[in-house]
Amino acid sequence: MSKPLEQNFVELLEQHQNIVHKVCRLYTNNYDAHNDLFQEITIQLWKAFPKFRGDSKFSTWMYRVGLNTAITLYRKSKRTINTQQFDTVQFKISAEEYDSTEEDQLKLLYNAVHQLNDIEKALVFLYLEDKNYKEISETMGITEVNARVKMNRVKTKLRTILNP
Amino acid sequence: MDELELLKKDWVKSDDKFERKSTAQLYPMLLKKSSSIVKTLFYISIAELVFWVAINTIPFLMSDAYRAKHEEMYTSNMFIILSLLSYAIILLFVYLLYRSHKSISVTDNAKKLMQNILKTRKIIKYYVLYNLVLASVSMILAFIYTSSHDPLLAEKIDHFTNKQYIAMIGMFMLVTIVFVAVIWLFYKLLYGILLRRLNRNYKELKKIEV
């Protein structure tokens, strides 16, 4: 007997939840907002799930729904009180892997990415997720050439933010 | 080293750093209500339809005099045709809104999704605009009708000097303009706030394609 739709969905989401966490990491900067966006993406995924035909990978499908929710559908959480800084809560940085210079550099980099606009963040996200330009262009609805050009501009922008 | 390459190295490693949610935590999340802009737009469009239909129906239900006047007007074919036309237009808007809401899919690419939401917003805008035009025209027609048919008002107007007459027309026009402007500004503000982010991101996407 096939699994009920709900169970099937939750199991898949549980397996691939890091994709959602990563979208939230780029588009929010505190714990509450992270969970709020996670919640909204989960609802959107669940609503769209009956139409998921499995002709693409579940993860690929999640990238699209996750990014669309973050860029277009999501209305920012009302709970915007920034009581806890994101990195100290959602991330468990262990003592042994802590390398202060690289850690500092990464922190600056993440800060720089946070200063990009929503579309630029989406391009960075797909790039970090090792998507090729064809996939990036299909997810965003732009041409491959333009995705490439924009990506180069984003890299330049990041460099400018880091070395003003 | 390319900055993004350094970030990518860390990004790949970050998988085990998130607070993972268990299936038991995920189940209740499916039952929560969405607060997406599409849902808000949907409620606004329903509210729009109900609001304007109510504006046109409530006086009819509440006031006997209004109803009597209406019945008198219904003897004219012209008025019946106009009424039927206005219902047809409402039905047309309901259909267009339904179709455009159905076309919004979160699995489309980002640009298409934004375009479909903006299309829905445009339909609501046209509906509001149509109603505002209709309301202004009705106000003007009602004014002309009352000033010539209401014996009390007609007699008063007869005694008006030119200056008073112009002042009265001016006042009436001012009221109409203010009424339309207030409602229009309200919508501008409402959509401005609701779709600020979408508009900004859509512009940004369009800019890439130039």
Side-chain angles (χ1 to χ4, degrees):
Chain A
M1 207 178 88
S2 67
K3 282 183 215 164
L5 197 67
E6 199 180 55
Q7 188 188 345
N8 192 5
F9 172 76
V10 169
E11 279 171 10
L12 280 168
L13 177 61
E14 200 273 335
Q15 261 176 52
H16 298 282
Q17 63 176 285
N18 279 340
I19 295 174
V20 185
H21 277 301
K22 283 174 169 174
V23 173
C24 297
R25 186 181 190 193
L26 275 195
Y27 285 93
T28 64
N29 52 18
N30 69 62
Y31 186 73
D32 281 345
H34 181 107
N35 282 334
D36 218 60
L37 181 56
F38 192 101
Q39 166 72 64
E40 187 60 43
I41 294 175
T42 303
I43 297 174
Q44 295 301 333
L45 285 166
W46 173 230
K47 267 173 39 188
F49 190 60
K51 282 190 199 148
F52 172 66
R53 289 189 299 271
D55 45 7
S56 64
K57 274 199 300 185
F58 185 70
S59 54
T60 311
W61 180 77
M62 275 179 90
Y63 283 114
R64 200 172 261 218
V65 177
L67 276 180
N68 272 340
T69 309
I71 301 170
T72 308
L73 303 180
Y74 179 59
R75 279 165 58 217
K76 279 203 173 86
S77 155
K78 287 172 204 90
R79 297 170 288 158
T80 48
I81 314 147
N82 199 348
T83 46
Q84 291 163 304
Q85 266 311 303
F86 177 82
D87 277 332
T88 58
V89 183
Q90 204 72 1
F91 275 85
K92 303 167 270 177
I93 298 165
S94 59
E96 58 268 28
E97 66 178 15
Y98 188 82
D99 173 342
S100 75
T101 29
E102 199 178 300
E103 202 62 41
D104 281 351
Q105 211 175 346
L106 279 169
K107 213 169 205 171
L108 285 173
L109 263 166
Y110 275 116
N111 276 339
V113 171
H114 267 271
Q115 288 176 48
L116 298 175
N117 66 42
D118 288 348
I119 301 298
E120 292 165 341
K121 277 181 193 164
L123 290 169
V124 168
F125 172 77
L126 292 166
Y127 180 85
L128 293 177
E129 287 293 309
D130 219 17
K131 300 289 162 205
N132 59 39
Y133 282 106
K134 188 171 178 286
E135 285 173 276
I136 296 178
S137 75
E138 280 169 3
T139 309
M140 301 307 292
I142 54 178
T143 65
E144 221 175 301
V145 178
N146 284 332
R148 219 178 271 272
V149 171
K150 183 66 186 172
M151 197 64 221
N152 284 330
R153 286 195 190 137
V154 173
K155 284 182 186 172
T156 314
K157 189 171 171 182
L158 276 176
R159 233 164 271 146
T160 320
I161 297 173
L162 289 164
N163 312 296
Chain B
M1 188 184 184
D2 188 327
E3 287 85 359
L4 275 181
E5 287 308 316
L6 178 67
L7 200 62
K8 202 172 190 170
K9 225 177 78 191
D10 181 70
W11 190 257
V12 176
K13 283 191 300 183
S14 72
D15 264 8
D16 53 349
K17 289 179 180 170
F18 292 107
E19 262 182 20
R20 285 187 70 83
K21 294 189 192 297
S22 64
T23 49
Q25 283 172 304
L26 290 172
Y27 273 111
M29 292 178 86
L30 309 188
L31 304 172
K32 292 260 173 70
K33 288 234 173 340
S34 159
S35 59
S36 79
I37 55 166
V38 173
K39 203 154 189 203
T40 315
L41 261 188
F42 178 74
Y43 287 137
I44 292 178
S45 50
I46 299 283
E48 280 316 326
L49 287 168
V50 173
F51 174 76
W52 289 105
V53 170
I55 285 261
N56 293 323
T57 343
I58 286 172
F60 186 76
L61 297 173
M62 302 288 278
S63 148
D64 287 341
Y66 187 87
R67 197 158 43 219
K69 208 171 266 177
H70 240 255
E71 268 156 20
E72 186 188 313
M73 281 167 142
Y74 262 108
T75 50
S76 135
N77 275 342
M78 179 73 179
F79 195 76
I80 294 171
I81 290 167
L82 278 179
S83 295
L84 285 176
L85 195 69
S86 75
Y87 286 120
I89 289 172
I90 290 174
L91 283 178
L92 179 72
F93 273 115
V94 170
Y95 168 71
L96 287 176
L97 274 173
Y98 171 78
R99 213 182 56 175
S100 80
H101 268 292
K102 284 288 265 187
S103 74
I104 297 174
S105 165
V106 72
T107 50
D108 274 334
N109 68 49
K111 196 173 172 189
K112 184 134 188 269
L113 173 67
M114 291 182 195
Q115 278 169 340
N116 282 340
I117 296 173
L118 290 172
K119 212 168 75 190
T120 308
R121 176 234 186 278
K122 223 176 235 172
I123 294 173
I124 308 177
K125 188 170 104 177
Y126 289 141
Y127 182 67
V128 171
L129 218 82
Y130 159 74
N131 276 299
L132 281 178
V133 170
L134 204 68
S136 322
V137 171
S138 310
M139 273 166 89
I140 293 165
L141 286 180
F143 175 75
I144 295 169
Y145 183 86
T146 324
S147 58
S148 57
H149 286 70
D150 189 329
L152 224 75
L153 198 66
E155 201 199 304
K156 264 189 192 156
I157 290 172
D158 272 349
H159 292 99
F160 273 2
T161 62
N162 267 353
K163 229 176 173 178
Q164 278 174 315
Y165 193 71
I166 290 166
M168 182 188 71
I169 303 268
M171 276 294 282
F172 176 75
M173 277 172 71
L174 193 72
V175 168
T176 311
I177 290 167
V178 168
F179 164 78
V180 171
V182 165
I183 295 187
W184 191 240
L185 273 176
F186 170 74
Y187 282 111
K188 276 274 178 212
L189 200 70
L190 183 73
Y191 290 120
I193 294 168
L194 182 68
L195 300 177
R196 186 168 44 197
R197 201 146 151 256
L198 191 152
N199 276 323
R200 195 180 56 212
N201 288 342
Y202 186 64
K203 254 185 222 154
E204 183 66 27
L205 261 184
K206 294 269 279 189
K207 227 165 62 189
I208 296 175
E209 297 286 72
V210 172

